[in-house]
Amino acid sequence: MFTGVKVFSATKAKEREELGENVTRWLRSNSDLEIVDRVVCQSSDNEFHCYTLVLFYKHTKPQP
C-alpha cells in the first residue's frame, strides 16, 4: 500500500542527463519516505524521447 506518488519526467537531452541527480536529491530530502514500488516508462516520436519515473511511497513516520 502507498500513501503518495512522485513523478519525474524528462524530454530534453539536458533534462534526461540530470534525471538521476534530481531523483537522488529528492530521495535524500525525503528520507522519511519508503519507496514501495516504481514504474519506468519511455516514449518517443520522431524528435523527442521522454523518460518518466513514477515512485510510489509511504511515510515511515505518522503524519499530523
Side-chain angles (χ1 to χ4, degrees):
M1 184 159 125
F2 61 92
T3 58
V5 176
K6 176 67 176 173
V7 178
F8 296 90
S9 183
T11 302
K12 298 176 183 171
K14 181 75 170 162
E15 293 171 343
R16 291 192 308 265
E17 290 174 11
E18 298 171 348
L19 188 61
E21 292 174 16
N22 291 339
V23 172
T24 299
R25 187 172 27 258
W26 184 83
L27 288 170
R28 286 183 180 153
S29 66
N30 292 281
S31 59
D32 62 324
L33 303 177
E34 177 186 348
I35 305 301
V36 295
D37 201 1
R38 83 295 182 223
V39 175
V40 180
C41 300
Q42 176 185 351
S43 61
S44 60
D45 61 17
N46 291 338
E47 295 183 39
F48 297 101
H49 305 288
C50 183
Y51 297 127
T52 303
L53 170 63
V54 183
L55 298 177
F56 299 87
Y57 61 85
K58 65 180 180 178
H59 294 275
T60 57
K61 299 176 184 173
Q63 297 299 299

